[in-house]
Amino acid sequence: NGVSVEGATHKQVVDLIKSGGDCLTLTVISVTQQEADRLEPQEDQSGYSYIDYSDKRSLPISIPDYGIINRNGERYIVFNIHMAGRQLCSRRYREFANLHSLLRKEFSGFNFPKLPGKWPFQLSEQQLDTRRRGLEQYLEKVCAVRVIAESDAVQDFLTDTEDDISAAPVDIKVMLPDHEVSTVSVKKSSNAQVVWEILVQRANLTAYTQQYFYLFEIVEYNFERKLQPHEIPHQLYVQNYSTASSTCLCVRRWLFSVPKELTLPDGEQAGRFIFYQAVDEVNRGNIRADGRLYELKALQDAKKAADYLALARTLPGYGDVVFPHCSCDSRKEGHVVPAVGMKSFRLHACREDGSLEAQMVELTWDSITRSESDEESMSFCFQYNRPDKPARWVKVYTPYHAFLADCFDRIMEERKWEDSGD
């Protein structure tokens, strides 16, 4: 559906297929016979199985430190394995030795590097650090070969067991709206609400920030989705190690109401965070500056935050959540870009590559009568009233259907605030 899936996981491909709704477009790329033979070699009649060790990639895997575990009367050393700065798991030396043995049997044609040697006595700190560096170099060389890195043995080795998840605390980095990164130490099994409460303490978040912000996942460039309270941030943190930033978790605004925003006291942390997020949204084009961009750039300083926000609030798109383009059952061809704001819900027509078109449907919240998220079809459905016509159901196929439903619920809640004067 116009998205390159080179290097994508199976789940990511399945989600893309589901988000396409009733339409699936596959682009087939032809290659030479020589390249085809390399990618998918014919079986050798002699029984020799050809394995391509030449397909290599650089994975940012490291073992920056080790720790001491005391469990069930046993004391032992574990080496903490990180991917792109994010901790995946902790493993004992003998688990590395078991992995080495399994890989040598499965990939007998590969020249494996040597593991650091065994030592029957207690190791000094210097010897432990030497072993750590040796194990790190071993993993770097092994995981650089795609076919080995993607094998079940390596994947199981790098995946936490239930025992690991319950026992070992890990450091998780969370990016704040001002682009500062706060690190929290949590159990791997901690859900988003627990991580948020720990972050509140660690980053000294004020009561207003706690109320109007929450944890989000950076899932695509220019888009973040709010985490469900029951989700496990560490699992997302590990799965998304390939993201360009130092973390895939961030704190973002969870407030649509501008009148509520205007009640924040001067100098309040939440107001400062709103300023930094507004700068991001202008740079992304979600707040449409049009001819006012030069004025905004001149005010893009924390000391001028009040003036910057005063201007930004007058521009289209301020405070809105704009979703990635996706298919919709009301359009036979092309996609839509859903956008949720305090004033309305919009579906902006676009091509399948996301290029915007002129047509846009804008629905006031009073006209929307029902809505629901459908996990099975990976879609968000809503019903709206039409003048002199029967009410109509519309289905939007998006992998972010749960977040879209959250936005609808939040809007309804904030509308009640305004009606009651809260």
Side-chain angles (χ1 to χ4, degrees):
N1 294 339
V3 179
S4 171
V5 292
E6 182 180 0
T9 64
H10 174 74
K11 182 180 183 302
Q12 288 170 331
V13 174
V14 170
D15 286 348
L16 277 171
I17 292 172
K18 287 182 177 179
S19 67
D22 298 330
C23 176
L24 175 62
T25 304
L26 297 179
T27 303
V28 180
I29 302 173
S30 61
V31 297
T32 64
Q33 185 61 47
Q34 181 181 6
E35 182 70 3
D37 290 341
R38 188 188 74 80
L39 293 171
E40 196 169 340
Q42 297 295 320
E43 292 186 9
D44 193 326
Q45 296 302 317
S46 66
Y48 173 75
S49 176
Y50 171 81
I51 298 177
D52 180 14
Y53 298 116
S54 66
D55 187 4
K56 297 188 176 182
R57 59 179 176 177
S58 178
L59 284 182
I61 195 163
S62 63
I63 304 178
D65 52 26
Y66 56 85
I68 300 173
I69 300 295
N70 291 287
R71 187 186 298 175
N72 300 327
E74 185 181 8
R75 184 176 185 272
Y76 53 88
I77 302 294
V78 293
F79 296 90
N80 300 319
I81 302 171
H82 290 237
M83 186 77 79
R86 308 173 197 179
Q87 185 169 337
L88 296 181
C89 59
S90 300
R91 293 287 177 255
R92 301 177 69 168
Y93 174 82
R94 69 185 185 191
E95 291 175 290
F96 281 89
N98 290 338
L99 172 68
H100 184 58
S101 178
L102 288 172
L103 293 178
R104 287 183 65 185
K105 290 178 182 177
E106 184 174 354
F107 304 101
S108 56
F110 183 72
N111 184 23
F112 281 92
K114 288 185 178 181
L115 273 179
K118 293 183 180 179
W119 189 249
F121 308 109
Q122 183 172 340
L123 299 179
S124 66
E125 287 190 15
Q126 183 178 356
Q127 289 169 321
L128 280 171
D129 193 62
T130 300
R131 174 172 282 186
R132 176 196 65 77
R133 284 187 280 112
L135 293 174
E136 181 178 79
Q137 290 168 3
Y138 175 84
L139 280 183
E140 285 176 346
K141 292 175 181 177
V142 166
C143 291
V145 181
R146 184 183 289 270
V147 68
I148 298 178
E150 294 179 353
S151 66
D152 290 343
V154 171
Q155 292 300 309
D156 289 345
F157 178 80
L158 296 177
T159 302
D160 282 324
T161 63
E162 290 185 10
D163 206 28
D164 294 325
I165 291 174
S166 61
V170 292
D171 287 341
I172 292 181
K173 297 177 182 178
V174 182
M175 185 180 295
L176 302 177
D178 58 2
H179 296 179
E180 292 293 322
V181 175
S182 183
T183 302
V184 294
S185 182
V186 298
K187 287 186 176 181
K188 296 177 185 177
S189 58
S190 299
N191 62 31
Q193 186 58 35
V194 170
V195 173
W196 173 245
E197 290 169 2
I198 294 173
L199 178 66
V200 164
Q201 301 297 322
R202 177 71 181 81
N204 296 317
L205 302 184
T206 65
Y208 284 109
T209 302
Q210 294 175 49
Q211 187 175 0
Y212 300 140
F213 286 78
Y214 200 67
L215 280 179
F216 280 65
E217 178 194 9
I218 304 169
V219 286
E220 293 185 37
Y221 177 67
N222 286 352
F223 181 68
E224 301 93 7
R225 72 165 186 93
K226 179 180 175 288
L227 297 190
Q228 300 289 320
H230 64 271
E231 288 189 81
I232 309 298
H234 181 258
Q235 293 179 355
L236 302 171
Y237 192 72
V238 169
Q239 291 166 5
N240 292 285
Y241 64 78
S242 60
T243 51
S245 59
S246 61
T247 178
C248 68
L249 300 175
C250 63
V251 173
R252 303 296 283 179
R253 168 180 177 153
W254 187 228
L255 176 70
F256 291 94
S257 171
V258 171
K260 182 64 68 175
E261 174 188 323
L262 292 171
T263 64
L264 292 172
D266 291 340
E268 162 60 36
Q269 179 191 61
R272 184 166 57 86
F273 282 175
I274 285 173
F275 160 71
Y276 282 110
Q277 184 163 338
V279 172
D280 285 344
E281 297 298 336
V282 168
N283 292 336
R284 295 173 178 186
N286 291 339
I287 297 177
R288 298 184 293 283
D290 300 326
R292 312 296 297 273
L293 187 58
Y294 180 79
E295 294 176 67
L296 286 171
K297 291 292 183 183
L299 297 171
Q300 195 173 307
D301 184 292
K303 296 177 181 178
K304 302 176 182 177
D307 294 333
Y308 186 98
L309 288 173
L311 175 54
R313 292 185 188 111
T314 66
L315 301 174
Y318 180 82
D320 294 355
V321 174
V322 181
F323 285 74
H325 66 91
C326 57
S327 61
C328 175
D329 66 356
S330 65
R331 275 177 67 81
K332 294 180 180 179
E333 296 181 0
H335 283 183
V336 296
V337 175
V340 181
M342 199 64 194
K343 293 181 179 178
S344 62
F345 174 54
R346 303 187 305 279
L347 293 174
H348 199 145
C350 67
R351 298 187 182 128
E352 291 185 3
D353 64 0
S355 303
L356 293 178
E357 298 176 343
Q359 183 184 4
M360 183 175 68
V361 174
E362 186 168 9
L363 302 171
T364 63
W365 292 109
D366 288 333
S367 69
I368 298 174
T369 54
R370 294 175 61 188
S371 64
E372 60 186 38
S373 172
D374 186 353
E375 178 69 36
E376 185 175 348
S377 65
M378 295 284 285
S379 66
F380 177 79
C381 315
F382 66 93
Q383 185 185 55
Y384 70 98
N385 289 325
R386 299 181 293 173
D388 304 321
K389 292 182 180 179
R392 180 182 181 183
W393 277 98
V394 176
K395 184 175 286 190
V396 179
Y397 296 95
T398 171
Y400 311 116
H401 54 89
F403 178 37
L404 190 49
D406 271 356
C407 289
F408 268 56
D409 291 343
R410 181 71 176 190
I411 289 285
M412 299 308 169
E413 180 184 352
E414 292 187 21
R415 281 165 56 84
K416 291 178 183 177
W417 296 351
E418 294 188 355
D419 292 341
S420 64
D422 274 353

